[in-house]
Amino acid sequence: MEDLIQLTNKLQTVVSSISAHETLDLPQIVVIGSQSSGKSSVLETIVQRDFLPRGSGIVTRRPLILQLITSRSTDAVEYGEFLHTQDKKFFDFAEIRREIERETSRLAGDNKGISRMPIHLRIYSPKVLTLTLVDLPGLTKIPIGDQPTDIEKQIRSLLMDYISKPNSIILAVTPANMDLVNSDSLKLARQVDPEGKRTIGVLTKLDLMDAGTNALDVLTGRSYPLKLGFIGIVNRSQQDILTNKPMADALKAENDFFRQHPSYRAIAGRCGTQYLSKQLNQILFNHIKDKLPELRTKLSSLISQTQHELSQYGDPVLTTGTMHRGSLILRLLTKFANDFVAAIDGTSSEMSTKELCGGARIYFIFNNVFGNALIAIPPCANLTNTDIRTAIRNSTGPRPSLFVPEIAFDLLVKPQIKLLETPSLRCVELVYEELMKICHNSGDKELMRYPKLHAKLVEVVAELLRERLGPTSSYVESLIAIERAYINTNHPDFMGAAGAMSNLESESRKKKKQDSSRRKITRQPSMNSVSSAVKANGSVFDDDNKSTIDHHSAYKENGQVHNDSFLNYFFGGAGKTERPALGSPEMTSMQQHYAPTMSVSSLMENEIEKKMEHVTIQNGNGEETTYPVSDREEIETQLIRTLITNYFNIVRKNIQDLVPKSIMHLLVNHSRESVQNRLVTSLYKRELFDELLQEDEAMAAERSKCKQLLDVYKQAFDIVNSAV
């Protein structure tokens, strides 16, 4: 039994040497209780020595891991050892108290604050049973003096850290002269051990209970059941402490109290400090025995994890010798380049699950950010009806026009296409920024050992990306310039004048029907007369008077059929044949063909209802001139607006397709394909090896700590393995 407990003590000493106790949950008994509950007296009675600090307020301000070891020699001398003083032995227990106070003040200060860093004390004595106890600060509710205002919260948090570990046995100390339901220690234990399987209760100050009362129901487990039960003890009085009453006399007085008390004499053998020591010894032994296989498995897992972590830091031996350094740099360069490419391709094993990154982020930029930015641009943004009318009038020069001038359409649609340039260039910038982010996030722990090498890698890749940013942006700008350079009204998807007129006619018909139903007035002659006039001269129209201009209307000249109507020609239609020039035989033939009726302009002016508006236009001198707006101009304006919208949508579709392709080709793919070659060319130079492989001091310290931790786990595993 003693060997097994001492084995645990060795484990505690080993893991505490480098603060590994946070990762390894060792079996131990944790003592909790409120201030003035008699917690310190219980521990001193178990040790049979006065060695703990005393006073008002919080006295225990750091966890005290107390290892009691039985000395077998009959003439053995009692002494104590602290882990922080190495092999120094303290034979004077008053000096042990002063060392605890000094070590507490060193970390926790003199203002009654607390510290989580434990003090390790080992006591050798023939009077004690081999045991390990953890004494924690007493629970308090109100800060006193210089104590922090949140002292209660700090202490509760510290206690919860210890008692919430499954391998901890909770020793809950409660004074018998207070109501059990108000016990802070039992309340805290119930939170982490609701079934009471690993909690043992200690009732102190049984001799101070009111006359006629007793705690028999509690000690026998009838009023508050705990699997490990309750044990009653009698503390030394303050007078006994002041007069230095011998511990042997105090233990004898305690035993006499239980044997002579009418309520407790029947259970006297299960009460007292000596019985408590035996029970704790047995409970700890059984607990350690049960947890050893689990502890062995845990240590094996920790060894594996720590070995993997240590491998990430690399072997310092590889940094010696030119050959080793060259191969190391080449390997790190290749690893960095592969990580960069993998992040773009989405094949990295360390991809984030919290946010989009790498290639997925680039896809999001193309399809969501850039796509939505283009869709958000209205085709006729900042283009008013006045602007369109002014452009039409300016394009006719000094003479009135018979037809809508096509130059007005070109003049108006080009600035609208220019609006696509800003979001396109912003798309390039966003992809560049994402590639820079990928560059900064590439690399592993081994590379982090060499901050100068990592900085150079990032610098070289960043320079490569900057080199590609300029050509990519220029090419994207040229895509917009190309679209503006030639307005292709023969595009297969462009509706042309015929389609635009058809749309306008359809909308006009719907509007007139609505007006007719509301106003109940007689419909005026509409564009149907135009349709009838043209139909009489050979153009093909539908027979149900819908005024739809057929895209396959034709006129004949010298026996040849021209698949383009007169209206299509002058309104910028989508005919595929080359248009005849003004004054040419073909043009003259067309004019003679339609001469028996009247010009389209005359048809519009005579047949459409006359409604006059006025538009204000600013002349070259800054003066404003008001011109009347005719029905014809209204139709021309709507016609141009419809054509601009249609053509703008075609260009927007082209840009939405070509810009991502251009960025992928010129920036993304070029970078990912040439990154490794650029890194090797720039950094694989003998004269740079010494500079690049200067190890980070903090990283070297981390590797050393990891190595020590691995050694501790291996040592602990050997200790446990020998006992299993």
Side-chain angles (χ1 to χ4, degrees):
M1 182 184 298
E2 291 180 3
D3 291 342
L4 202 55
I5 295 176
Q6 287 198 44
L7 180 145
T8 305
N9 289 344
K10 288 182 181 179
L11 287 176
Q12 281 186 325
T13 302
V14 167
V15 299
S16 298
S17 62
I18 56 171
S19 301
H21 58 277
E22 296 179 357
T23 57
L24 192 60
D25 181 16
L26 294 174
Q28 57 191 359
I29 297 176
V30 179
V31 186
I32 62 172
S34 60
Q35 288 184 28
S36 304
S37 64
K39 181 166 58 69
S40 297
S41 295
V42 171
L43 295 176
E44 288 184 331
T45 307
I46 291 175
V47 179
Q48 300 185 36
R49 281 285 192 169
D50 291 326
F51 68 98
L52 293 175
R54 293 187 177 275
S56 60
I58 303 176
V59 179
T60 304
R61 298 188 290 127
R62 286 178 62 181
L64 175 65
I65 298 179
L66 180 61
Q67 298 177 355
L68 305 180
I69 300 173
T70 306
S71 297
R72 290 303 177 186
S73 177
T74 55
D75 58 347
V77 180
E78 298 176 276
Y79 66 92
E81 292 179 343
F82 288 97
L83 183 63
H84 65 272
T85 59
Q86 300 300 326
D87 296 330
K88 181 180 179 180
K89 295 181 180 180
F90 293 81
F91 297 97
D92 184 357
F93 279 76
E95 182 63 23
I96 291 178
R97 177 189 296 116
R98 288 190 289 270
E99 182 62 28
I100 292 175
E101 292 173 345
R102 283 195 297 267
E103 184 64 13
T104 298
S105 298
R106 186 177 67 85
L107 289 184
D110 298 324
N111 64 343
K112 299 297 183 181
I114 66 171
S115 171
R116 291 177 173 270
M117 187 64 65
I119 298 173
H120 291 262
L121 173 61
R122 181 178 296 171
I123 293 178
Y124 295 85
S125 172
K127 300 177 183 178
V128 300
L129 293 176
T130 301
L131 199 60
T132 301
L133 301 166
V134 181
D135 185 24
L136 296 175
L139 289 161
T140 185
K141 294 186 179 298
I142 302 175
I144 299 174
D146 294 333
Q147 291 178 355
T149 56
D150 63 338
I151 188 67
E152 179 187 5
K153 183 179 179 181
Q154 290 185 32
I155 293 177
R156 284 186 176 272
S157 175
L158 175 60
L159 267 58
M160 289 296 290
D161 286 347
Y162 276 87
I163 66 176
S164 59
K165 295 178 180 178
N167 286 350
S168 294
I169 298 294
I170 305 170
L171 186 66
V173 180
T174 302
N177 58 350
M178 71 173 291
D179 194 345
L180 205 63
V181 298
N182 296 324
S183 171
D184 290 330
S185 59
L186 289 175
K187 286 180 181 178
L188 209 61
R190 180 62 62 92
Q191 293 181 24
V192 297
D193 183 30
E195 298 180 2
K197 291 183 177 181
R198 55 185 181 91
T199 302
I200 179 171
V202 175
L203 282 182
T204 62
K205 304 180 181 180
L206 286 170
D207 56 329
L208 301 181
M209 294 184 69
D210 295 337
T213 62
N214 61 71
L216 190 60
D217 287 346
V218 177
L219 294 176
T220 55
R222 290 195 293 265
S223 64
Y224 197 100
L226 291 175
K227 182 179 179 181
L228 301 178
F230 279 88
I231 298 175
I233 66 172
V234 175
N235 302 87
R236 288 182 300 160
S237 66
Q238 189 65 28
Q239 182 66 27
D240 294 339
I241 296 172
L242 293 175
T243 59
N244 293 323
K245 183 177 181 179
M247 283 290 183
D249 294 344
L251 290 174
K252 183 178 182 302
E254 181 185 38
N255 292 333
D256 291 343
F257 171 81
F258 287 111
R259 283 197 302 266
Q260 296 171 8
H261 196 284
S263 300
Y264 304 134
R265 66 178 59 171
I267 60 170
R270 301 196 302 274
C271 296
T273 305
Q274 290 177 323
Y275 176 74
L276 175 62
S277 296
K278 293 177 182 178
Q279 280 297 101
L280 293 179
N281 179 264
Q282 186 65 45
I283 290 171
L284 184 59
F285 168 75
N286 293 334
H287 190 57
I288 293 173
K289 187 177 180 180
D290 292 340
K291 296 296 181 180
L292 273 182
E294 177 185 325
L295 191 59
R296 184 173 181 269
T297 303
K298 176 67 174 177
L299 282 169
S300 178
S301 175
L302 287 173
I303 289 173
S304 177
Q305 293 174 12
T306 310
Q307 283 178 332
H308 176 71
E309 182 180 355
L310 183 62
S311 66
Q312 296 296 309
Y313 292 112
D315 191 345
V317 178
L318 293 178
T319 61
T320 60
T322 304
M323 183 178 299
H324 287 303
R325 286 180 296 175
S327 61
L328 175 61
I329 286 182
L330 190 59
R331 180 167 59 83
L332 293 176
L333 293 182
T334 304
K335 181 68 168 60
F336 184 87
N338 290 341
D339 289 347
F340 181 79
V341 173
I344 295 175
D345 295 342
T347 58
S348 174
S349 59
E350 298 180 0
M351 279 290 181
S352 171
T353 59
K354 303 298 182 182
E355 62 178 358
L356 290 178
C357 60
R361 178 67 183 171
I362 294 175
Y363 176 84
F364 179 81
I365 292 171
F366 287 156
N367 291 275
N368 293 74
V369 180
F370 178 56
N372 292 335
L374 294 184
I375 294 173
I377 301 175
C380 296
N382 304 322
L383 198 60
T384 65
N385 288 343
T386 301
D387 296 333
I388 297 175
R389 294 182 189 120
T390 303
I392 293 174
R393 290 183 175 180
N394 285 339
S395 62
T396 60
R399 293 175 298 176
S401 64
L402 296 177
F403 312 106
V404 178
E406 188 170 339
I407 191 173
F409 171 71
D410 285 11
L411 191 67
L412 291 168
V413 79
K414 287 180 179 180
Q416 302 308 113
I417 297 175
K418 182 73 173 178
L419 297 176
L420 300 174
E421 184 175 82
T422 299
S424 300
L425 293 177
R426 181 56 184 160
C427 181
V428 177
E429 293 173 359
L430 289 175
V431 175
Y432 167 77
E433 291 170 3
E434 182 60 29
L435 290 174
M436 287 294 293
K437 184 178 178 181
I438 294 173
C439 169
H440 282 280
N441 292 338
S442 298
D444 53 12
K445 281 189 177 181
E446 184 180 8
L447 180 59
M448 294 301 115
R449 290 172 56 193
Y450 312 106
K452 291 189 176 181
L453 175 59
H454 182 257
K456 282 290 186 181
L457 290 172
V458 172
E459 181 182 333
V460 171
V461 177
E463 183 181 358
L464 172 63
L465 294 176
R466 282 193 297 270
E467 289 178 4
R468 302 308 305 166
L469 177 62
T472 306
S473 298
S474 299
Y475 186 79
V476 168
E477 286 179 344
S478 70
L479 291 177
I480 306 298
I482 289 170
E483 292 289 352
R484 297 176 69 238
Y486 178 63
I487 307 302
N488 182 20
T489 55
N490 284 331
H491 193 282
D493 296 332
F494 185 55
M495 63 170 58
M501 285 294 294
S502 176
N503 287 346
L504 292 177
E505 189 69 17
S506 177
E507 293 176 4
S508 176
R509 185 166 61 252
K510 290 179 181 178
K511 183 177 180 181
K512 287 185 178 182
K513 285 182 179 179
Q514 293 173 355
D515 293 343
S516 176
S517 61
R518 285 198 305 266
R519 302 176 184 176
K520 296 182 180 180
I521 59 175
T522 306
R523 179 181 299 178
Q524 296 293 330
S526 65
M527 286 295 293
N528 292 336
S529 58
V530 180
S531 302
S532 300
V534 180
K535 182 179 180 181
N537 286 275
S539 295
V540 182
F541 282 75
D542 54 2
D543 295 330
D544 54 0
N545 200 26
K546 292 183 179 178
S547 307
T548 303
I549 300 177
D550 194 329
H551 286 266
H552 298 286
S553 55
Y555 68 89
K556 296 181 180 180
E557 208 261 318
N558 294 330
Q560 183 179 2
V561 178
H562 295 266
N563 293 321
D564 216 352
S565 70
F566 187 65
L567 291 178
N568 276 356
Y569 173 81
F570 280 101
F571 283 104
K576 303 299 181 291
T577 57
E578 184 176 345
R579 296 171 185 163
L582 292 175
S584 65
E586 293 86 350
M587 185 63 194
T588 303
S589 175
M590 288 175 63
Q591 292 174 340
Q592 293 174 353
H593 184 70
Y594 287 97
T597 56
M598 57 181 63
S599 69
V600 174
S601 176
S602 299
L603 287 172
M604 288 181 176
E605 293 176 355
N606 292 336
E607 298 296 330
I608 299 176
E609 179 184 9
K610 300 297 188 294
K611 293 189 297 183
M612 298 301 293
E613 296 179 358
H614 290 79
V615 60
T616 301
I617 301 177
Q618 193 175 57
N619 58 30
N621 299 323
E623 299 176 352
E624 293 185 348
T625 306
T626 301
Y627 296 95
V629 178
S630 65
D631 287 344
R632 175 193 171 186
E633 287 180 316
E634 287 290 342
I635 293 177
E636 289 174 344
T637 301
Q638 293 304 317
L639 179 65
I640 291 292
R641 185 177 292 276
T642 302
L643 294 175
I644 290 174
T645 300
N646 179 238
Y647 194 81
F648 182 87
N649 289 336
I650 294 172
V651 175
R652 175 164 55 188
K653 185 177 179 181
N654 292 342
I655 295 300
Q656 189 171 358
D657 179 61
L658 289 175
V659 168
K661 290 180 177 178
S662 304
I663 295 174
M664 286 299 298
H665 174 65
L666 297 172
L667 180 60
V668 180
N669 289 343
H670 187 280
S671 299
R672 67 185 295 280
E673 291 168 3
S674 58
V675 60
Q676 182 166 356
N677 184 53
R678 176 65 67 91
L679 289 174
V680 173
T681 303
S682 303
L683 300 179
Y684 191 72
K685 300 176 181 178
R686 289 179 179 271
E687 60 271 19
L688 297 177
F689 287 176
D690 291 338
E691 177 187 354
L692 296 178
L693 291 181
Q694 289 183 10
E695 191 171 20
D696 181 47
E697 294 182 1
M699 191 64 67
E702 287 291 328
R703 185 182 67 245
S704 177
K705 181 180 178 181
C706 186
K707 180 69 167 58
Q708 291 179 359
L709 195 62
L710 179 61
D711 293 340
V712 165
Y713 288 150
K714 288 181 177 180
Q715 185 179 352
F717 182 80
D718 292 339
I719 294 172
V720 173
N721 204 34
S722 63
V724 175

